């Protein structure tokens, strides 16, 4: 839904001079992640760290309000001309993108030429295939709705319930509106028309939601009021592939997607924008296509620490949250919950990664190894047996499979050698004034 700006995303907005766009939209402070499983719960706070040069808080918000503020801010600049229309195609000549063909609000077809075209038309991009050879994968769906005139007892936490078979999240998006979103299998979406969706939410999801904090009460209120503003949206994943064509760059969900359970899409997009901005402003102009192409190639390397960390965390966490009858997978699910609730450096370390405050892929790998060992210990307790030992080994194999796929996808060097992450922190995690 694009309704949580992580702490790291707020830093990027500040570095871009756009932090004021989060004001006057009734955004709510986000301090923590509250997780619930089988009657137990834990609250995980963003850590206060002298190494993170910004306020360690996120913001819950209405995405449309933020987008309008960003558009208004951009249009107010003297060197920006805002033209609204529907882009039909990219203009190409000899493998180089020269601009776009679009229809304006009057229905006229117009061509616009530029030395650099930025494709950023979202997850359902029509222009992606013209620029990069990449295809999205549908993982599941989310059904989401807004509950009006409601306020949670803890409005500053993202409330995540380890429901079966898929998770459910509840959070405060304005001072009197609450978002409820429940994940659904990709191939099994209950019908809205015949009442199956209402039955699913009332009889399958609601009983698993804690009664504390007005969580279950709020969900049921939303269902009884007729699922206001209900949306069913596919969750997608798509690895980032460099664009070989000159004169064009692809950004945002059109370029790279991950499971939205960790709510970091806007943060990665803003990080990419900041990198591109810093690279391009070193040039006297962007008419030198060769020089621009060289800078864009370096962009794909520089972005890796943030993007690889977030992509890997989203993929692994979303798989672990799925409930099954497989004892090894359930051991990993319980081990993950135990690890996150254990406190100390385990909790603060994972929250720093989740919030974009510590974009170090190697640190994430070490935490994932520790979660795996915690899961194996859970399966072996209270006393080891051949059956428990077998399932603990299967848990280890599952973890290797999950992590291995992303080490290959994101690159072993980028994930395991810390020099890139150190350079990213030095150049892109500085204070906003820098």
């Amino acid at each position: 839904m694009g309704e949580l700006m992580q702490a790291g995303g707020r830093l990027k907005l500040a570095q871009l001079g756009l932090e004021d766009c989060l004001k006057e939209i009734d955004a709510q402070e986000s301090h923590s992640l509250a997780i619930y499983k089988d009657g137990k719960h834990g609250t995980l706070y963003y850590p206060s760290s002298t190494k993170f040069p910004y306020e360690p808080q996120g913001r819950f918000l209405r995405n449309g309000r933020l987008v309008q503020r960003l558009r208004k801010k951009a249009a107010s600049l003297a060197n920006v001309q805002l033209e609204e229309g529907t882009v039909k195609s990219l203009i190409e000549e000899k493998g180089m993108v020269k601009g776009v063909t679009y229809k304006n609000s009057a229905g006229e077809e117009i061509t616009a030429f530029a030395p650099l075209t930025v494709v950023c038309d979202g997850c359902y991009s029509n222009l992606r295939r013209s620029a990069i050879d990449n295809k999205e994968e549908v993982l599941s769906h989310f059904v989401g709705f807004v509950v009006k005139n409601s306020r949670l007892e803890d409005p500053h936490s993202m409330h995540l319930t380890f429901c079966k078979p898929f998770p459910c999240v509840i959070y405060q998006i304005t001072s009197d509106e609450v978002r409820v979103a429940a994940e659904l299998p990709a191939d099994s979406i209950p019908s809205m028309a015949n009442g199956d969706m209402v039955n699913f939410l009332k009889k399958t999801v609601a009983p698993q939601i804690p009664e504390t904090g007005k969580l279950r009460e709020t969900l049921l209120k939303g269902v009884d009021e007729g699922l206001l503003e209900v949306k069913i949206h596919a969750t997608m994943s798509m690895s980032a592939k460099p664009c070989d064509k000159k004169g064009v760059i692809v950004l945002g969900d059109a370029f790279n997607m991950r499971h939205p359970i960790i709510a970091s899409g806007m943060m990665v997009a803003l990080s990419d924008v900041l990198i591109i901005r810093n690279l391009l402003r070193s040039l006297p102009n962007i008419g030198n296509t060769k020089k621009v192409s060289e800078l864009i190639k370096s962009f794909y390397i520089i972005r890796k620490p943030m993007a690889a960390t977030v992509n890997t965390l989203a993929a692994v966490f979303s798989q672990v949250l799925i409930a099954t009858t497989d004892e090894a997978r359930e051991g990993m699910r319980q081990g993950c919950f135990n690890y996150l609730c254990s406190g100390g450096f385990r909790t603060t370390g994972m929250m720093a990664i989740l919030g974009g405050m510590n974009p170090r892929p190697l640190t994430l790998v070490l935490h994932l190894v520790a979660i795996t060992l915690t899961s194996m210990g859970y399966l072996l307790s209270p006393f080891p047996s051949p059956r428990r030992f077998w399932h603990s080994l299967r848990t280890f194999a599952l973890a290797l499979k999950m992590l291995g796929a992303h080490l290959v996808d994101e690159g072993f060097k980028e994930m395991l050698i810390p020099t890139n992450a150190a350079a990213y922190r030095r150049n892109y995690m500085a204070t906003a004034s820098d």
Side-chain angles (χ1 to χ4, degrees), residues 50-66:
T50 56
K51 295 182 180 179
F52 184 67
Y54 204 68
E55 187 180 35
Q57 295 180 6
R59 288 290 185 273
F60 298 118
L61 51 90
R62 278 279 195 172
N63 182 267
R65 296 179 187 178
L66 173 62

Side-chain angles (χ1 to χ4, degrees), residues 289-355:
T289 305
K290 183 179 179 182
K291 189 64 177 176
V292 170
S293 295
E294 290 175 358
L295 290 176
I296 290 176
K297 285 181 180 178
S298 67
F299 156 75
Y300 296 120
I301 298 171
I302 296 170
R303 74 180 295 271
K304 274 292 184 179
M306 174 65 83
T309 302
V310 169
N311 291 345
T312 303
L313 177 60
V316 173
F317 194 43
S318 63
Q319 290 180 64
V320 169
L321 284 176
I322 300 172
T324 71
T325 57
D326 186 309
E327 289 188 43
R329 287 186 176 275
E330 278 302 295
M332 186 175 291
R333 188 165 172 263
Q334 184 64 51
C336 178
F337 180 85
N338 293 347
Y339 187 87
L340 292 175
C341 293
S342 61
F345 71 91
R346 302 173 187 84
T347 301
T348 57
M350 285 299 293
M351 285 302 292
I353 292 171
L354 177 67

Side-chain angles (χ1 to χ4, degrees), residues 275-286:
I275 294 168
I276 287 291
R277 191 278 304 265
N278 287 0
L279 290 172
L280 292 181
R281 73 177 179 181
S282 66
L283 299 175
N285 63 73
I286 57 174

Side-chain angles (χ1 to χ4, degrees), residues 210-254:
E211 292 181 325
T212 57
K214 294 186 177 179
L215 297 177
R216 187 186 299 181
E217 173 189 328
T218 302
L219 184 151
L220 290 172
K221 178 186 176 185
V223 174
D224 291 338
E225 288 177 350
L227 301 179
L228 299 176
E229 299 183 45
V230 65
K231 296 179 181 179
I232 299 176
H233 197 284
T235 67
M236 300 182 191
S237 176
M238 186 178 70
S239 58
K241 288 190 177 180
C243 177
D244 295 327
K245 292 183 179 179
K246 294 182 179 179
V248 63
I249 185 169
V250 186
L251 293 176
D253 282 351

Side-chain angles (χ1 to χ4, degrees), residues 32-159:
S32 54
L33 170 67
I35 56 176
Y36 307 85
K37 185 180 185 295
D38 301 329
K40 297 180 180 180
H41 77 278
T43 302
L44 294 55
Y45 291 92
Y46 292 116
S48 297
S49 172
T50 56
K51 295 182 180 179
F52 184 67
Y54 204 68
E55 187 180 35
Q57 295 180 6
R59 288 290 185 273
F60 298 118
L61 51 90
R62 278 279 195 172
N63 182 267
R65 296 179 187 178
L66 173 62
V67 170
Q68 290 305 314
R69 291 274 291 175
L70 291 169
R71 288 162 65 89
K72 184 178 179 180
K73 181 82 178 259
S76 70
L77 301 177
N79 60 338
V80 171
Q81 178 183 338
L82 181 64
E83 177 76 13
E84 296 187 61
T86 302
V87 177
K88 310 300 289 184
S89 62
L90 301 178
I91 300 171
E92 287 190 53
E93 290 182 14
K94 298 179 181 178
M96 180 180 293
V97 174
K98 298 286 189 177
V100 297
T101 300
Y102 71 97
K103 279 191 176 182
N104 64 12
S105 54
E108 302 169 319
E109 191 164 289
I110 300 174
T111 55
F113 296 93
L116 180 63
T117 299
V118 181
V119 172
C120 49
D121 54 341
C123 59
Y124 296 109
S125 173
N126 292 317
L127 303 175
R128 177 193 301 134
R129 294 171 185 81
S130 300
I132 54 176
D133 180 21
N134 211 352
K135 189 175 182 181
E136 70 278 7
E137 177 189 2
V138 176
L139 304 172
S140 61
H141 287 81
F142 262 103
V143 56
F145 55 92
V146 174
V147 187
K148 304 280 189 179
N149 303 313
S150 295
R151 190 159 181 85
L152 301 173
E153 288 184 5
D154 178 8
H156 303 304
S157 287
M158 167 75 78
H159 300 272

Side-chain angles (χ1 to χ4, degrees), residues 8-9 12-13 15-16 251 265-277 299 302-307 359 424 428-429:
K12 303 307 172 193
L13 279 175
Q15 290 170 321
L16 289 164
L251 293 176
M266 291 191 293
M267 179 174 68
V268 174
L270 288 169
S271 174
D272 287 349
V273 168
L274 179 66
I275 294 168
I276 287 291
R277 191 278 304 265
F299 156 75
I302 296 170
R303 74 180 295 271
K304 274 292 184 179
M306 174 65 83
Y424 181 92
Y428 295 98
M429 297 295 286

